[in-house]
Amino acid sequence: MDKQKLEITFVDIDSLKPATYNPRKHSEETAKQLENSIKKFGLVDPIIVNNAPSRRNIVIGGHFRLEVAKKMGFKKMPVVYLNIPDVNKEKELNIRLNRNV
């Protein structure tokens, strides 16, 4: 596997598209906890986003952070882009990131 240098880029939050297949749901309590954490520490963990031409700006990991950041009024989001043209591999990575497997 080729080693890629991962770079964090700050992207217009409105250009990011949550994946329709993302299975995770969160309670209002966990949303409030994440909001408090972001207020205290900032957005210290970038989200993972696809940059393949056919899947550009589809969020693979970090949907919850994106949702809370939008509600908090953030305009930019820290992003690490990956090029994954195969939607099945994209979905697999989403599941693995959600389960931390």
Side-chain angles (χ1 to χ4, degrees), residues 46-79:
I47 64 172
I48 308 301
V49 178
N50 205 338
N51 200 30
S54 63
R55 304 291 299 160
R56 183 154 290 135
N57 284 337
I58 300 290
V59 176
I60 301 170
H63 289 84
F64 188 37
R65 278 173 280 142
L66 175 62
E67 179 184 324
V68 171
K70 276 187 174 186
K71 286 181 182 174
M72 292 176 71
F74 278 76
K75 302 295 181 207
K76 299 276 184 182
M77 196 71 188
V79 166

Side-chain angles (χ1 to χ4, degrees), residues 17-28:
K17 306 169 200 163
T20 57
Y21 56 76
N22 186 53
R24 290 183 89 180
K25 304 294 178 216
H26 302 279
S27 69
E28 283 187 41

Side-chain angles (χ1 to χ4, degrees), residues 91-101:
K91 287 179 181 181
E92 179 183 353
L93 180 56
N94 171 268
I95 290 168
R96 290 179 182 272
L97 290 169
N98 281 338
R99 292 188 182 159
N100 294 323
V101 178

Side-chain angles (χ1 to χ4, degrees), residues 37-54:
S37 177
I38 292 171
K39 285 177 182 175
K40 187 172 185 176
F41 301 106
L43 287 167
V44 297
D45 194 11
I47 64 172
I48 308 301
V49 178
N50 205 338
N51 200 30
S54 63

